[in-house]
Protein backbone atom coordinates (compact mmCIF):
# COMPACT_ATOMS: atom_id res chain seq x y z
CA UNK A 1 0.00 0.00 0.00
CA UNK A 2 2.92 2.37 0.64
CA UNK A 3 4.13 1.77 -2.91
CA UNK A 4 0.79 2.98 -4.29
CA UNK A 5 1.02 6.15 -2.17
CA UNK A 6 4.58 6.85 -3.39
CA UNK A 7 3.55 6.29 -7.01
CA UNK A 8 0.54 8.57 -6.50
CA UNK A 9 2.75 11.38 -5.16
CA UNK A 10 5.14 11.00 -8.09
CA UNK A 11 2.35 11.19 -10.66
CA UNK A 12 0.85 14.25 -8.95
CA UNK A 13 4.26 15.92 -9.08
CA UNK A 14 4.69 15.07 -12.76
CA UNK A 15 1.19 16.33 -13.59
CA UNK A 16 1.80 19.55 -11.63
CA UNK A 17 5.12 20.06 -13.44
CA UNK A 18 3.46 19.50 -16.80
CA UNK A 19 0.65 21.96 -16.05
CA UNK A 20 3.18 24.49 -14.75
CA UNK A 21 5.21 24.26 -17.95
CA UNK A 22 1.99 24.67 -19.92
CA UNK A 23 1.22 27.87 -18.01
CA UNK A 24 4.72 29.24 -18.61
CA UNK A 25 4.66 28.46 -22.33
CA UNK A 26 1.10 29.78 -22.67
CA UNK A 27 1.98 33.08 -21.00
CA UNK A 28 5.13 33.40 -23.10
CA UNK A 29 3.11 32.79 -26.26
CA UNK A 30 0.52 35.40 -25.31
CA UNK A 31 3.30 37.88 -24.47
CA UNK A 32 4.85 37.33 -27.90
CA UNK A 33 1.43 37.75 -29.49
CA UNK A 34 0.21 40.88 -27.69
CA UNK A 35 3.32 42.90 -26.75
CA UNK A 36 5.14 44.70 -29.51
CA UNK A 37 6.92 48.05 -29.56
CA UNK A 38 8.87 48.97 -32.68
CA UNK A 39 12.54 49.91 -32.58
CA UNK A 40 13.46 53.58 -32.67
CA UNK A 41 16.49 55.28 -34.12
CA UNK A 42 18.61 57.31 -31.71
CA UNK A 43 20.55 60.48 -32.57
CA UNK A 44 23.54 58.42 -33.74
CA UNK A 45 21.50 56.34 -36.20
CA UNK A 46 21.53 53.16 -34.09
CA UNK A 47 18.35 51.17 -33.59
CA UNK A 48 17.38 51.01 -29.90
CA UNK A 49 14.52 49.82 -27.74
CA UNK A 50 11.56 47.84 -28.85
CA UNK A 51 9.80 45.00 -27.12
CA UNK A 52 9.79 41.84 -29.25
CA UNK A 53 11.38 43.82 -32.08
CA UNK A 54 13.82 41.46 -33.75
CA UNK A 55 14.48 43.03 -37.15
CA UNK A 56 13.98 46.53 -38.54
CA UNK A 57 10.68 46.05 -40.37
CA UNK A 58 7.34 45.99 -38.57
CA UNK A 59 5.75 43.45 -40.90
CA UNK A 60 8.66 41.04 -40.46
CA UNK A 61 8.44 41.41 -36.68
CA UNK A 62 4.72 40.64 -36.74
CA UNK A 63 5.34 37.52 -38.81
CA UNK A 64 8.21 36.35 -36.56
CA UNK A 65 6.34 37.06 -33.31
CA UNK A 66 3.19 35.39 -34.62
CA UNK A 67 5.15 32.27 -35.53
CA UNK A 68 6.85 32.22 -32.12
CA UNK A 69 3.48 32.70 -30.39
CA UNK A 70 1.96 29.75 -32.27
CA UNK A 71 4.94 27.56 -31.33
CA UNK A 72 4.75 28.50 -27.63
CA UNK A 73 0.98 27.99 -27.47
CA UNK A 74 1.35 24.63 -29.21
CA UNK A 75 3.92 23.61 -26.59
CA UNK A 76 1.48 24.70 -23.88
CA UNK A 77 -1.26 22.55 -25.40
CA UNK A 78 1.09 19.56 -25.61
CA UNK A 79 1.98 19.88 -21.92
CA UNK A 80 -1.71 20.17 -21.00
CA UNK A 81 -2.38 16.95 -22.89
CA UNK A 82 0.58 15.21 -21.23
CA UNK A 83 -0.55 16.34 -17.77
CA UNK A 84 -4.11 15.21 -18.45
CA UNK A 85 -2.93 11.79 -19.64
CA UNK A 86 -0.87 11.42 -16.46
CA UNK A 87 -3.86 12.31 -14.28
CA UNK A 88 -6.28 10.08 -16.19
CA UNK A 89 -3.82 7.17 -16.21
CA UNK A 90 -3.30 7.52 -12.46
CA UNK A 91 -7.07 7.60 -11.82
CA UNK A 92 -7.69 4.50 -13.93
CA UNK A 93 -5.13 2.44 -11.94
CA UNK A 94 -6.66 3.23 -8.56
CA UNK A 95 -7.97 0.12 -6.85
CA UNK A 96 -11.05 0.18 -4.63
Amino acid sequence: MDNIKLNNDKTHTMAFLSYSLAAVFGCTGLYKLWVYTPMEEDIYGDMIGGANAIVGGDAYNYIINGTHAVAYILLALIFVIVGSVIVLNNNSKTSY
Side-chain angles (χ1 to χ4, degrees), residues 4-74:
I4 293 172
K5 175 73 172 145
L6 180 63
N7 190 20
N8 197 10
D9 289 342
K10 184 189 289 187
T11 56
H12 283 227
T13 303
M14 293 298 290
F16 178 76
L17 179 65
S18 180
Y19 288 133
S20 299
L21 285 172
V24 168
F25 283 128
C27 290
T28 304
L30 292 176
Y31 176 78
K32 288 292 241 182
L33 192 62
W34 288 337
V35 177
Y36 174 70
T37 306
M39 287 190 212
E40 296 178 0
E41 193 172 329
D42 65 358
I43 59 173
Y44 302 110
D46 296 330
M47 300 301 279
I48 59 168
N52 287 330
I54 301 166
V55 295
D58 285 339
Y60 294 123
N61 284 324
Y62 286 131
I63 293 168
I64 292 168
N65 287 329
T67 306
H68 287 178
V70 168
Y72 282 124
I73 292 171
L74 183 63

Side-chain angles (χ1 to χ4, degrees), residues 75-91:
L75 276 172
L77 289 174
I78 289 170
F79 278 111
V80 166
I81 291 170
V82 167
S84 298
V85 166
I86 290 171
V87 168
L88 291 174
N89 190 24
N90 185 35
N91 287 341

